[in-house]
Amino acid sequence: MAGVQVSNLSRSFGAHKALDDVSIDFADGGFYALLGPSGSGKTTLLRQIAGFDFPDSGRIAIGGESVERVPVEKRRIGMVFQNYALFPNMSVGDNVAFGLSVRGEAKATIASEVQHALDLVQLGKLGGRRPHQLSGGQRQRVALARAIVTKPRVLLLDEPLGALDKALRVDMQIELKRIQREIGITTIFVTHDQEEALTMSDRIGILRDGRLVQEGPPEEIYDSPKSEFAATFLGDANIFRGETTGTGIRLPDGTAIAAGAGAALAAGAKASCAVRPERIRIATDSGTSDPNANMLRGQVSKRIFAGNNSTYFVDRGGQTLKVIVQNTGIERLAEGQKVVLRWSPESTVLIATG
Amino acid sequence: MAGVQVSNLSRSFGAHKALDDVSIDFADGGFYALLGPSGSGKTTLLRQIAGFDFPDSGRIAIGGESVERVPVEKRRIGMVFQNYALFPNMSVGDNVAFGLSVRGEAKATIASEVQHALDLVQLGKLGGRRPHQLSGGQRQRVALARAIVTKPRVLLLDEPLGALDKALRVDMQIELKRIQREIGITTIFVTHDQEEALTMSDRIGILRDGRLVQEGPPEEIYDSPKSEFAATFLGDANIFRGETTGTGIRLPDGTAIAAGAGAALAAGAKASCAVRPERIRIATDSGTSDPNANMLRGQVSKRIFAGNNSTYFVDRGGQTLKVIVQNTGIERLAEGQKVVLRWSPESTVLIATG
Amino acid sequence: MATTRILEWCGRLYIWLLLAFLYLPVIIMALMSFNVSPFYQLPFEWTTEWYASLWQNDQLISATWNSIEIAIITTIISTVLGSAASLALYRYEFRGKKVLQALLFPPIAIPWLITGTAMLIFFFGVGIGRGLFAILLGHVALALPYVIVVVSARLQTFAPELEEAARSLGANQWQVTSRVTLPWIMPGVIAGGLFAFAVSFDQFVVSYFLSTPGQTTLPVEIYAAIRKGFTPEINAVSTIIIVVSMALMLLTARFFKFGGEK
Amino acid sequence: MAGQVATGSRSGLRSALPLLLPAYLWLTVAIFLPLSAMVFFSFMTELPLAGKVWAFTLDNYATFFSERLYLTLLLASLRLGLEVTLWCVVIGYPAAYVLAKVLKGRSREAIFLLVILPFWSNGLVRIFSWAMVLREGGILDTALNAVLPFKINIDLMYSYPAVIIGLVHSYVPYMVLTCYLTLQAIDDSLIEAGRSLGASRLQMLKRVIIPLSMPGLVAGAALIFVPVVGSFMEPRILGGRTGTFYGTVIEDQFVAVFNWPLGAALSFILLAVVLVILALASPVLKRAA
Amino acid sequence: DEVHVLNWKGYGADEPWAIAAFEKATGNKVVNDFFNSEQEMLTKLRTNPGLYDVVMINAAFNDQAMAEKLIQPIDVSKITNYADISPDKAGSPMLARDGKVYGVPWVWGLTALAINEKSFETPPTSITEMWNEAHKGRVVIRDDAVEAVQFGAIATGQNINDIKDMEAVKAKLTSLMPQIKTFWSSENDWNQMVASNQIDIGTYWSGSADRAKTHFKLPVALVIPREGAVAWLDAFSIPVGAKNVAGAEAFINYMIDPGFYVEWVTKVGAPVSANTKAVAALPEDAFNRKVMGDPDVAKRIQFQAPITDAQREAYLALWQEIKVNVK
Ligand SMILES: Nc1ncnc2c1ncn2[C@@H]1O[C@H](COP(=O)(O)OP(=O)(O)OP(=O)(O)O)[C@@H](O)[C@H]1O
Ligand SMILES: Nc1ncnc2c1ncn2[C@@H]1O[C@H](COP(=O)(O)OP(=O)(O)OP(=O)(O)O)[C@@H](O)[C@H]1O
Ligand SMILES: [Mg+2]
Ligand SMILES: [Mg+2]
């Protein structure tokens, strides 16, 4: 088993820098989530690690050894492609068997391993089908089974569960984690599902325009984003912009917002504060329960139901704030209602701007 | 503009029934989400409506007229394919222009409409690229732009935003809703993102094994699922199985659970109760605040952080219950801690089994 | 990475070797058009007399023009008809399709000598007679199977979703075909066209039977000549044709892209 | 990708007819009807010319079975067809692969066109040129002796190898181009996927690339095998003493003696054999694809 | 008017200077068409009634053409040079039927042996030279069943028009096969092979050998072996339905004219004219006069008579069998 070290990797397509001086250390046996907007270079990075494409500069090492001269087939990776890349000329079973069979495993071993992998992705009965006879999600699961059945040392997953419904996705997540733990595969996976990234990974890296923006364990990134981008990209955040006061910031309209975490900044500098919508308590009365709490008044403009929670959009002179409230079955606020928003300084992260 | 009526539609592939007597009325100008496990027939249903494939039995009407003899190109639909199906020989711009250009629009009109559509999906600068030079999410957005630029009367979207990050997805959701409202397109879309389904759609239909399981507005389905499957498929639910008592059920171990909503069932019948994890309050003390509330004791076995909320897994002699707690920044429960779970009968839905 | 480079380099080398193999006879043919001996005799003695006498040889020149004209028209007609037929065979399911596909092989399998004789008899019988039109009739028929087989092979790789996508955007059958399907199968159509041209341009037997005196084609002239009066004028005219077509092809490749898109 | 089935909407001879009719009508007028006349002749004792009396007979077909000569030659021709086809695959397929997957941009387009160009010159003139290369004291002989330290005599002209070389040269472009057509359509990510699963290049070739390019291989093989089996020109000129094949005896029936009925019968037997071989080969090939 | 002529390519009738002279003299324009085998010539006549005015037919095939009513009787009185044709040729039974003349003899020649002068100090005199081990792999013979069998008949001392011992012919030819380099089918084949010094000896046509030597300056010499040689006679006929019979007659007359013949022989090389005056117009030492006119030679040669289809097929079967067995 082996960690993956990526150092100062750059790769351009024409004038476009798809990867720009990216360095990440994917720990041996770790589960690493790559996040980033569409076109930020996630797939490009995975392709470099797999060896399909070569960097303009920078180095990649797997298990401590530079892989510059190691061809793809010797890197012992498993990959799920964003477009699946199933072999159209083979049955589902043969697709999954491919990796074992080129390795020359015994027929019986292959058959049982393949059946096991197909069962694992809940396609045990479809081994005889051709890829074009499958639904999108079924194809994706075949791709997943094909990648894991060979027990590679590094697993590169490009949105491996994107086409699956929630229930199945959770099942697959659990399986992936189990496999990864059992045989200690270093797993790097790209996902657009935030919850998936947060719940599954040991560490998260956020890419933007080919650059690594922030990197760390999920809760750290969630609780202490280092930029407005990181704050809003992973999870949601209300952003207030103003000047630092030492303990927080002062908004242009004079309101002071106290912050309990984040960068230490000289007073007077431009800065912003980020507050997670779920940290804000929304109430109709103004009775202060906590004198230290930040407080703002506003008016509910919209409520959006999202299953286990609802989001209230609260207008406050020009700015709309989001507040998430768990749907515990208690009373709802009506649109137009005047409300008071409160949140603690500890829930407020100070971020340097510019 | 036109609604879509699907009546008693069935379609089999060999022995496999991909659609089994499905009837849905997609209201004119409505936004309809299709949900269902992988392989449940969602894509098959869209392909029938589009006219790529024909039912074994059943009828489809668009705008009140049967379309049995109307070829695809006359149905005035727009479709985003699960695998995008971009034209590889055309640039991104030409892909988007295709629908307008076959209709014989003026060059200048086409150019401006195409630019507008590309701007809308935030790809304004990539019009000259070829599809194979795009990232997965970029391709998906081209497919979306291509489908909406022709202003069809019915929009069929097969996981149109699946490959997009959350921020972009929200932007696209807003655009889609705006377009749909402005020109009143009947929109049918498949998604695996529950939040997306719940927040965007007027109505939701849930398919399972080719059959329509439940259908209705999002909150109704969420709050009053008619089956265990619906309860757990859309959102999460803790399921208790036992015998009805008239006001609720009695579990095999004798615990009584009171239900406030759901089916009216004769006492003694087998039934289950579903409780949403976010409706359960978790506490360490046992001080009763509400005598009517259902109450159970257990022990925290795991906590999973998921951004704006965390899920506690609570063991209670053989059954593991999920409890969602909003991450408001207050104290956390440790694993192993003994806890009391309480929820109101109104949060408990009674469901007939079997 | 290094092995990839080496393999790529080997690949390129291989292509050049293949081209060398393919062009070897052509180069010799061209050289011999500058050799004094009409019997490919060595040592080589430079002359341009064959080009000069070619200039005087009205019959050879007019036969060459006939050949070029017929080959071009054959290429156009057979690629159009052949591509259309391939599309139909690809798109639609109907009874007897296998038979239609099998029927493509008689024109290839039966030696052209027999086909040519049969055409001569039949055309004579039904009053089509001989002449350039009859030659064209025959050439197109001989080229058609090649076009259909080649285009069909390419069509097998086509993803039908693309046609579906186009139709969902309101394109009618013709627009779907011309703007989506055709660009994809273009390399096949072009390969079919190249084969059709080659089949027609080098077609001796059928032309021979169907040509009338004074209205012959180049191969007919050449075959008649080898009996008694072969001269390297034939090499000269072939060389000119090859050089001109090569220039045209390279120009085409420079300005059009048809090798296939991803 | 390959193998997708046409869907329900695309059924029916009626929609196919407008596209099929022109080509098949043309073939009917110019080939099928004339050949039917030939079929008719093949059952005659004499050609119905100059008032000769003719009768219906099966003798012409019987001749094939009664004279060992024809069977021997047919087998020789089939073997020739097979060998030429195999050589074309061996030489042409790698070239098609390089063209489709290694070369990029304009050079690819140029080479695609250049491959067929030599065949726009006259076949006979090309064969004369081969004579220059292959004969003793020819180009090959001279070149090899210039390079090699010892003296060898290479006289390939008028031999079986010369026939093979000439035919392979004439037909290899068919293989290159048809294989290119299907190879070029293979998505690169499939090759990447295979290699990420640990398959060597050779394994990829065998398990994925060749099966996926099968339609092109089959088309190329058919376009080579079928005419080579009936060929007579190249064997006659390049083969010398050894150049007698099934095609040449058919030619003799037409050219040397005026026995069309027998010549036609021999051709149709050839056609039948070829079709049977194609039919037998197609399920095997389909399974491989 | 136009005169449509069907002949071998490069066989006198299509010489540009000749056509020009004829056109100038008679005002008729000549349109040439060619054939590659006698069978093909007949097929062209059959399928194009009325197209040709003159056709050149090997006398051995005249019979068939007459039988099939492809050619018509010729009014020889309109052809002034006809009177000068050597009586044995003009009187050939192959060219007449029911007392009417169907063919005007034009030229005759031999299928004899020709040698590569570089390979011989002194020319051989016997046909057996072909079987000489020294020439193994350097012998050629024309790929023509009838000619091959008749050649075999000569080699076994038989009458070519009445072969009694087929087995002997077969044995003789079979034993020749290992000697063979290849089968030639056109004049060009022969000349190319001799030019690149690939062959020593082989069967060849007398006119072609003459032409190879005089016109192309190739080291070729004709040998009329003492065992004999096959002779053939080419004649002009007028097809049934010819549109320009007068032009045809004029053309035939021109073709057998001594003036044309001498020019043809000197410029190009040709077989022996059937017109005695034409031959007499050649220089004393001309091959066609000195050798071909030698009475000794005349005794050795055997003219091809018509053969039946059945014979022809039998010859072909024999020839094919010999060729196949060599593989
Ligand atoms: N062959 C190419 N030519 C030009 N640009 C390319 C090419 N391949 C990728 N790009 C560009 O490089 C950038 C990074 O692409 P990449 O596929 O890595 O994005 P990604 O992060 O995987 O995005 P997504 O989430 O949409 O899949 C994109 O802007 C894309 O347009
Ligand atoms: N051509 C076919 N032959 C056989 N079975 C097929 C074919 N096409 C689809 N199916 C089956 O029909 C069922 C429904 O497929 P469909 O594509 O509609 O699923 P879906 O709901 O879109 O799933 P997903 O969310 O995974 O895309 C699946 O079980 C699939 O395997
Ligand atoms: Mg990507
Ligand atoms: Mg689907």
Side-chain angles (χ1 to χ4, degrees), chain A residues 13 16 18 37-44 82 159 192, chain B residues 129 132-138 163:
Chain A
F13 295 109
H16 180 84
S38 178
S40 56
K42 305 179 292 296
T43 300
T44 308
Q82 208 166 0
E159 295 184 47
H192 288 308
Chain B
R129 288 253 189 103
H132 69 94
Q133 297 174 313
L134 297 181
S135 78
Q138 288 166 341

Side-chain angles (χ1 to χ4, degrees), chain E residues 100-168:
Chain E
K100 288 177 192 147
V101 176
Y102 279 81
V104 177
W106 178 34
V107 288
W108 66 277
L110 298 176
T111 305
L113 297 184
I115 54 163
N116 176 353
E117 285 177 324
K118 288 187 189 158
S119 310
F120 291 87
E121 304 262 296
T122 51
T125 57
S126 167
I127 207 164
T128 52
E129 192 66 21
M130 300 265 284
W131 280 262
N132 185 342
E133 274 287 323
H135 307 304
K136 194 172 164 76
R138 291 178 66 85
V139 175
V140 290
I141 179 169
R142 184 160 164 245
D143 193 2
D144 182 285
V146 174
E147 212 173 278
V149 169
Q150 292 182 340
F151 176 78
I154 288 177
T156 52
Q158 305 191 58
N159 180 345
I160 61 166
N161 295 318
D162 183 21
I163 304 173
K164 296 263 162 36
D165 188 355
M166 242 349 181
E167 282 309 308

Side-chain angles (χ1 to χ4, degrees), chain C:
Chain C
M1 193 169 183
T3 33
T4 313
R5 288 255 169 80
I6 292 170
L7 283 175
E8 271 186 34
W9 192 84
C10 290
R12 269 171 233 272
L13 184 73
Y14 183 74
I15 288 276
W16 288 112
L17 283 175
L18 179 77
L19 285 179
F21 170 63
L22 291 180
Y23 278 83
L24 183 61
V26 176
I27 291 167
I28 291 170
M29 176 194 81
L31 283 177
M32 289 304 125
S33 72
F34 293 105
N35 191 8
V36 168
S37 159
F39 304 112
Y40 290 24
Q41 202 169 5
L42 295 178
F44 184 84
E45 279 176 80
W46 174 270
T47 180
T48 53
E49 76 170 285
W50 305 117
Y51 286 86
S53 61
L54 169 65
W55 197 244
Q56 306 296 322
N57 193 339
D58 292 340
Q59 202 170 350
L60 196 59
I61 290 176
S62 91
T64 305
W65 280 123
N66 283 340
S67 272
I68 292 175
E69 263 171 48
I70 289 175
I72 289 175
I73 301 174
T74 298
T75 305
I76 293 171
I77 296 179
S78 60
T79 37
V80 171
L81 300 193
S83 304
S86 323
L87 270 176
L89 292 174
Y90 164 78
R91 274 194 194 142
Y92 306 105
E93 289 300 333
F94 49 87
R95 287 214 282 159
K97 186 162 144 177
K98 284 250 152 60
V99 176
L100 287 189
Q101 280 164 332
L103 276 179
L104 296 174
F105 289 101
I108 306 177
I110 303 267
W112 283 341
L113 179 73
I114 287 90
T115 317
T117 315
M119 283 180 185
L120 178 65
I121 304 274
F122 180 78
F123 290 178
F124 167 63
V126 300
I128 297 173
R130 305 195 305 173
L132 293 185
F133 175 71
I135 294 179
L136 186 68
L137 207 59
H139 282 199
V140 170
L142 290 182
L144 267 175
Y146 287 85
V147 176
I148 298 179
V149 169
V150 170
V151 173
S152 296
R154 176 70 179 182
L155 267 170
Q156 303 257 308
T157 69
F158 183 70
E161 295 105 81
L162 295 182
E163 285 196 350
E164 293 179 349
R167 293 177 68 203
S168 80
L169 291 164
N172 59 35
Q173 199 69 57
W174 165 244
Q175 288 166 324
V176 170
T177 307
S178 66
R179 301 181 58 172
V180 177
T181 320
L182 212 52
W184 176 262
I185 61 170
M186 205 33 132
V189 174
I190 289 185
L194 295 173
F195 289 161
F197 192 96
V199 164
S200 165
F201 199 65
D202 195 17
Q203 174 51 256
F204 159 61
V205 188
V206 168
S207 313
Y208 181 69
F209 281 116
L210 297 180
S211 64
T212 48
Q215 287 262 292
T216 60
T217 63
L218 185 59
V220 174
E221 281 293 312
I222 294 174
Y223 280 78
I226 59 156
R227 278 210 88 84
K228 304 260 175 187
F230 183 87
T231 71
E233 288 166 36
I234 286 158
N235 291 36
V237 71
S238 301
T239 304
I240 293 173
I241 292 166
I242 291 280
V243 168
V244 171
S245 357
M246 191 179 286
L248 283 178
M249 282 187 170
L250 291 177
L251 220 65
T252 317
R254 178 86 191 71
F255 292 108
F256 296 96
K257 216 168 149 58
F258 50 77
E261 292 293 342
K262 266 296 147 58

Side-chain angles (χ1 to χ4, degrees), chain D residues 38-258:
Chain D
M38 274 291 164
V39 173
F40 188 57
F41 290 158
S42 73
F43 290 105
M44 289 179 173
T45 48
E46 290 277 351
L47 280 181
L49 278 168
K52 283 189 194 170
V53 277
W54 59 276
F56 178 82
T57 181
L58 287 171
D59 280 357
N60 297 313
Y61 290 91
T63 308
F64 175 85
F65 297 97
S66 60
E67 305 263 340
R68 264 192 54 84
L69 171 84
Y70 296 115
L71 188 64
T72 314
L73 285 178
L74 182 58
L75 290 178
S77 282
L78 289 174
R79 179 178 148 215
L80 178 71
L82 206 66
E83 278 184 36
V84 170
T85 309
L86 283 180
W87 279 112
C88 286
V89 171
V90 168
I91 294 172
Y93 193 84
Y97 184 84
V98 175
L99 200 55
K101 292 288 169 205
V102 177
L103 297 182
K104 294 269 140 61
R106 300 290 173 200
S107 66
R108 172 156 87 177
E109 250 96 274
I111 292 172
F112 180 84
L113 291 175
L114 288 185
V115 162
I116 189 84
L117 188 59
F119 303 89
W120 292 16
S121 65
N122 185 264
L124 205 72
V125 178
R126 281 200 312 268
I127 292 179
F128 288 170
S129 304
W130 273 117
M132 281 212 72
V133 177
L134 297 175
R135 71 181 188 222
E136 190 179 359
I139 291 175
L140 187 67
D141 194 17
T142 317
L144 278 179
N145 279 316
V147 182
L148 295 174
F150 47 91
K151 170 96 180 115
I152 48 166
N153 266 341
I154 297 194
D155 185 6
L156 286 178
M157 195 58 198
Y158 306 125
S159 66
Y160 188 65
V163 178
I164 299 269
I165 292 175
L167 285 170
V168 167
H169 179 263
S170 296
Y171 286 99
V172 78
Y174 290 81
M175 191 53 84
V176 175
L177 294 194
T178 53
C179 288
Y180 169 84
L181 295 177
T182 43
L183 278 168
Q184 188 270 336
I186 297 176
D187 196 337
D188 286 339
S189 70
L190 292 181
I191 298 170
E192 293 174 347
R195 298 188 58 207
S196 79
L197 290 165
S200 65
R201 287 169 213 272
L202 220 60
Q203 285 172 318
M204 276 315 288
L205 196 69
K206 203 174 114 230
R207 312 271 307 260
V208 179
I209 298 172
I210 290 182
L212 284 177
S213 56
M214 205 41 105
L217 261 170
V218 171
L223 291 183
I224 293 169
F225 178 77
V226 173
V228 166
V229 174
S231 66
F232 54 87
M233 254 264 307
E234 291 90 346
R236 222 186 247 290
I237 301 180
L238 290 171
R241 279 188 309 144
T242 60
T244 309
F245 285 91
Y246 195 72
T248 58
V249 301
I250 295 181
E251 188 201 9
D252 285 339
Q253 295 304 333
F254 273 77
V255 176
V257 300
F258 193 56

Side-chain angles (χ1 to χ4, degrees), chain B residues 17 193 347:
Chain B
K17 284 197 165 184
D193 183 330
S347 300

